[in-house]
């Protein structure tokens, strides 16, 4: 399911216009992105949580030459599935 299909499905279930649903989804994306950039954890209890991660500098290897190189530290984002979603997928 892509974003437009999600907008259509939510619109049908709620009776809200597609424009209003898309505005809410865009706002959700924007707020979650801003908060994760600030280092905050964003949780929708039982569904999903997002948080910033940090990877330290490490040593890697160029697969073509075998040469070792330093991979710089980097920031990333982690999404963790909540218990209700996990249970629904498992069928419990």
């Amino acid at each position: 399911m892509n974003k437009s299909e999600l907008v259509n499905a939510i619109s049908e279930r709620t009776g809200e216009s597609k424009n209003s649903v898309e505005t809410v989804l865009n706002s959700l994306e924007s707020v979650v992105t801003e908060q994760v950039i600030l280092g905050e954890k964003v949780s929708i209890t039982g569904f999903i949580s997002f948080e910033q991660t940090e990877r330290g500098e490490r040593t890697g290897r160029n697969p073509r030459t075998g040469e070792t190189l330093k991979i710089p530290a980097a920031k990333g984002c982690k999404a963790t599935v909540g218990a209700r979603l996990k249970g629904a997928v498992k069928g419990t």
Side-chain angles (χ1 to χ4, degrees), residues 13-26:
R13 285 194 185 188
T14 63
E16 294 293 324
S17 72
K18 291 178 186 177
N19 285 338
S20 113
V21 171
E22 187 166 13
T23 299
V24 170
L25 284 177
N26 289 339

Side-chain angles (χ1 to χ4, degrees), residues 47-89:
F47 182 60
I48 196 163
S49 65
F50 303 93
E51 63 185 308
Q52 188 180 105
T53 60
E54 293 187 25
R55 290 186 301 268
E57 184 178 279
R58 61 195 194 277
T59 304
R61 187 179 61 81
N62 182 330
R64 284 188 181 171
T65 64
E67 170 188 12
T68 59
L69 51 110
K70 287 196 181 212
I71 301 169
K75 291 183 180 181
C77 181
K78 176 173 88 171
T80 306
V81 178
R84 279 190 315 228
L85 181 55
K86 272 186 195 174
V89 170

